[in-house]
Amino acid sequence: MRTPRSSLVAAAFLAACGAPAGGAPSASAPSASAPSASAAASGSSSPPAAPPPPAPQAAAPAAATSPAPAPCGALGCLAFDTPAQAFAHVLESGPRVLAVGEAHAQQGSEGIPSTTRRFTELFLPALAGRASDLIIELWAVDPRCKKEQVARVETEQRTVTQGQAAQNQDEFLALGHAAKRLGIRPHQLTPSCQEVDAIVRAGPDAVTAMLEMIARQTAAEAKALLGREDAAGKMVIAYGGALHNDVAPRPGRERWSFGPELSAITAGKYVELDLIVREFIKESESWRALPWYPHFDREEHPDKAVLFNPAPGSYTLIFPRSS
C-alpha cells in the first residue's frame, strides 16, 4: 500500500449506500460505518485474532458458454447463476473507471463473509491485467499534521464507526495487499494538513466535510492515474462506500460524490457498481431510500446473484444468500 512520507493514522469515513434523507449519514444507517480510527492507528495488516468465517470459493470470470441470466423484474433486473457472471456482465462496457461501493459489515455479522472479502476473493483476480490501479478509501495522514487536530478528527469518526465489525480495517488492508500481488497498484488517500484542519474547523459539520474531502481526493487521484502512460487502456478502480461513487447523486449530495466528474473526463466510460451482501439489508429508512429496494425480494432467487441496472452506467449487485 502506498504511504508516501506518511503513516496510516486514521481510516477515512467510508460512506456506504443510502444515508438518511436530509442529512449526512448517521451511526444507525448502513452508510455510516467505517474501519475504526483506533484500528487504523495501529497500521497493522494482520488478520483478526479470531479465525475468519468461510468465504465463497474464488470464481473465474464468466465463460462465453455461461447460461443466460434470467429477467427478474424492474430496473433491468437480471438473475445470474454466480456473482462472477454478474460481474463479467458489468464489465462488458469496458469502463476506464470502475467505482465500487459497499455497505460495510456491522457488529454481529462476523459469521458472514463481508463485501470487501467477497470482492477481494471473487472479483479482484478477474481484474488482473485489466486494471492498473486501485484507490482504497483509507487515509494516510501526514505525520507533520498537528496531533490534536488528527485526534479531533478521529473522535468525529468514532461517532459513526462504533457499530462496525472489528475485521473491516484488516480486510481493507488485505484488499490492498491482494491487489499488489496481482500487479494492480494500491493507493490510499493522502489529505493535507490543511484539509485535516478544515474538517476540525467545520465543527458540527465535520462528517459532511469528510465526505466532501473523500470525493475530492478520490477524483484527483483517479485523474492523475488515468493520465499515466503505463495505464493507457486499463481500468482504475476506486473502492469504498456506496455513496461517493454515485454517478447521479441525490440533490444536496453532489459534493459527496466523484461520479459525475470522473464520468465526464472519461467520456462516459465510468461504471458505478454497488455491492450488497443480502443478509446486511435491513428494514430501515436509509435502505428503503435506495432505488432498487422496492423491487427486491430477498426470498426470490435466493441462490442467484441479482443485478439491477437502474440507470446507464449504474449497477447494484446483490450476492446470493450466504451458505
Side-chain angles (χ1 to χ4, degrees), residues 55-56 58-59 83 87 90-91 98-102 113-128 131 133-136 171-172 174-176 178-179 182 184 235-240 273-277 317 319:
F87 187 58
V90 170
L91 296 180
L98 174 65
V100 182
E102 66 163 45
S114 70
T115 311
T116 312
R117 189 171 179 189
R118 294 173 197 240
F119 178 80
T120 302
E121 298 183 355
L122 297 181
F123 297 160
L124 189 64
L127 296 171
D133 298 87
L134 168 67
I135 305 168
I136 304 174
E171 291 184 342
F172 264 67
L175 170 59
L182 292 169
I184 302 170
M235 273 182 280
V236 170
I237 310 161
Y239 192 96
L273 173 62
D274 293 342
L275 300 178
I276 307 295
V277 174
L317 194 165
F319 290 99

Side-chain angles (χ1 to χ4, degrees), residues 82-97:
T82 68
Q85 292 170 4
F87 187 58
H89 180 82
V90 170
L91 296 180
E92 285 179 358
S93 64
R96 284 301 316 280
V97 174

Side-chain angles (χ1 to χ4, degrees), residues 72-78 80 89-90 93 247 270-274 291-292 295 306-318:
C72 51
L75 303 183
C77 183
L78 295 173
F80 292 82
H89 180 82
V90 170
S93 64
V247 70
Y270 174 93
V271 165
E272 165 198 351
L273 173 62
D274 293 342
W292 53 265
H295 308 286
V306 174
L307 184 69
F308 288 101
N309 183 198
S314 175
Y315 296 89
T316 296
L317 194 165
I318 302 172

Side-chain angles (χ1 to χ4, degrees), residues 15-315:
C17 57
S26 68
S28 61
S31 56
S33 54
S36 68
S38 59
S42 69
S44 171
S45 60
S46 59
Q57 188 175 13
T65 57
S66 298
C72 51
L75 303 183
C77 183
L78 295 173
F80 292 82
D81 287 343
T82 68
Q85 292 170 4
F87 187 58
H89 180 82
V90 170
L91 296 180
E92 285 179 358
S93 64
R96 284 301 316 280
V97 174
L98 174 65
V100 182
E102 66 163 45
H104 309 298
Q106 301 292 292
Q107 290 178 5
S109 67
E110 287 80 5
I112 301 170
S114 70
T115 311
T116 312
R117 189 171 179 189
R118 294 173 197 240
F119 178 80
T120 302
E121 298 183 355
L122 297 181
F123 297 160
L124 189 64
L127 296 171
R130 303 178 67 178
S132 61
D133 298 87
L134 168 67
I135 305 168
I136 304 174
E137 199 175 295
L138 293 173
W139 293 12
V141 180
D142 191 323
R144 293 173 298 183
C145 296
K146 296 178 182 177
K147 292 182 179 180
E148 61 271 23
Q149 300 293 73
V150 174
R152 289 176 65 181
V153 171
E154 290 177 343
T155 298
E156 292 292 341
Q157 291 173 335
R158 281 194 290 271
T159 65
V160 294
T161 63
Q162 56 189 356
Q164 185 190 24
Q167 77 270 15
N168 285 5
Q169 173 67 27
D170 290 291
E171 291 184 342
F172 264 67
L173 290 168
L175 170 59
H177 293 308
K180 188 173 182 179
R181 288 194 297 270
L182 292 169
I184 302 170
R185 292 181 294 252
H187 306 268
Q188 297 171 140
L189 305 182
T190 55
S192 66
C193 297
Q194 290 79 8
E195 288 173 306
V196 172
D197 291 342
I199 292 171
V200 173
R201 291 196 303 272
D205 296 322
V207 171
T208 297
M210 289 182 203
L211 295 172
E212 294 177 357
M213 184 278 293
I214 291 167
R216 288 195 307 271
Q217 282 272 322
T218 305
E221 184 77 359
K223 287 189 290 185
L225 294 172
L226 287 168
R228 291 174 59 127
E229 290 185 9
D230 59 347
K234 291 189 176 181
M235 273 182 280
V236 170
I237 310 161
Y239 192 96
L243 174 66
H244 299 299
N245 64 339
D246 289 352
V247 70
R250 282 195 273 170
R253 300 183 181 182
E254 293 87 353
R255 293 168 64 90
W256 300 359
S257 177
F258 50 76
E261 182 177 1
L262 294 184
S263 181
I265 69 166
T266 58
K269 302 293 283 185
Y270 174 93
V271 165
E272 165 198 351
L273 173 62
D274 293 342
L275 300 178
I276 307 295
V277 174
R278 188 177 294 245
E279 289 82 359
F280 293 175
I281 301 171
K282 306 297 182 185
E283 286 283 349
S284 68
E285 177 185 355
S286 51
W287 283 102
R288 287 193 292 268
L290 301 175
W292 53 265
Y293 185 91
H295 308 286
F296 175 70
D297 183 348
R298 73 177 68 219
E299 302 304 323
E300 211 172 312
H301 309 294
D303 298 320
K304 301 284 188 179
V306 174
L307 184 69
F308 288 101
N309 183 198
S314 175
Y315 296 89

